[in-house]
């Protein structure tokens, strides 16, 4: 009977047939304790060794898949009110670093075929407009997270 071990080498039990992470040699103890510090068999790649059990760190939650939420460039710009658009336009005028940053963001928007409302760069840009007061507090999430209407699709 083969003996199975987990991703961290801890003995987990016997199995009827050989499979991934099994060895034919029996461990010195077949305890499957999960009490920290208690002796438990651990496969080191060559042999079973008895070592104090240490629980593995839980695996991090996987990143959710990126789901594009594409709108046309016109639809994206239309999500800003006219007064917001005027404020943004006025903020882009001048020879300051801040004005250049606004122009850079607007040039990316104007160069895009469509705007993905879930794209990190899009989201950071709209939140930056809110952070510097060009749009009111809370507007960034309204602009980015409002449901997409059929007429907004690219």
């Amino acid at each position: 009977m083969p003996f199975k071990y987990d991703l961290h080498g801890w003995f987990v039990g016997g199995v009827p047939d050989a499979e991934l992470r099994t060895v034919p040699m029996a461990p010195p103890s077949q305890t499957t304790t999960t009490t920290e510090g208690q002796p438990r068999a651990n496969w080191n790649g060559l042999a079973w060794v008895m070592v104090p059990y240490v629980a593995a760190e839980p695996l991090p939650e996987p990143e959710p898949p990126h789901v594009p939420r594409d709108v046309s460039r016109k639809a994206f710009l239309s999500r800003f009110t006219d007064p917001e658009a005027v404020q943004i336009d006025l903020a882009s005028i001048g020879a300051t670093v801040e004005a250049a940053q606004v122009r850079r963001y607007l040039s990316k928007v104007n160069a895009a075929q469509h705007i993905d409302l879930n794209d990190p760069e899009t989201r950071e840009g709209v939140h930056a407009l809110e952070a510097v007061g060009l749009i009111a507090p809370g507007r960034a999430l309204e602009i980015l997270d409002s449901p997409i209407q059929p007429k907004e699709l690219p």
Side-chain angles (χ1 to χ4, degrees), residues 1 16 25-26 32 44 53 56-58 60 65 67 86:
M1 167 193 307
M25 299 168 282
T32 57
N44 69 8
Y53 178 75
E57 292 289 324
V67 178
V86 169

Side-chain angles (χ1 to χ4, degrees), residues 136-151:
R139 281 290 292 142
L141 290 179
E142 288 177 20
I143 291 165
L144 295 165
D145 294 342
S146 292
I148 296 173
Q149 303 303 312
K151 70 179 185 173

Side-chain angles (χ1 to χ4, degrees), residues 6-8 21 55-63:
D6 67 13
L7 289 171
H8 304 284
R21 288 190 297 279
E57 292 289 324
L59 295 174
E61 288 292 320
E63 288 287 323

Side-chain angles (χ1 to χ4, degrees), residues 50-150:
M50 293 299 292
V51 294
Y53 178 75
V54 178
E57 292 289 324
L59 295 174
E61 288 292 320
E63 288 287 323
H66 178 79
V67 178
R69 294 185 62 236
D70 294 345
V71 296
S72 70
R73 186 174 49 230
K74 178 182 181 282
F76 176 70
L77 294 172
S78 294
R79 285 178 168 233
F80 294 88
T81 65
D82 286 342
E84 289 170 340
V86 169
Q87 284 292 98
I88 294 165
D89 186 49
L90 289 173
S92 72
I93 298 170
T96 65
V97 171
E98 293 80 9
Q101 289 170 331
V102 173
R103 285 193 303 274
R104 173 74 172 136
Y105 183 69
L106 292 175
S107 70
K108 289 180 180 183
V109 169
N110 290 327
Q113 296 294 318
H114 56 81
I115 306 295
D116 178 359
L117 299 174
N118 280 348
D119 182 83
E121 191 172 16
T122 301
R123 298 187 75 80
E124 289 168 15
V126 176
H127 282 286
L129 295 174
E130 183 179 288
V132 297
L134 296 177
I135 60 177
R139 281 290 292 142
L141 290 179
E142 288 177 20
I143 291 165
L144 295 165
D145 294 342
S146 292
I148 296 173
Q149 303 303 312

Side-chain angles (χ1 to χ4, degrees), residues 36-47:
E36 296 251 351
Q38 291 296 309
R40 184 167 169 184
N42 188 270
W43 181 253
N44 69 8
L46 299 173

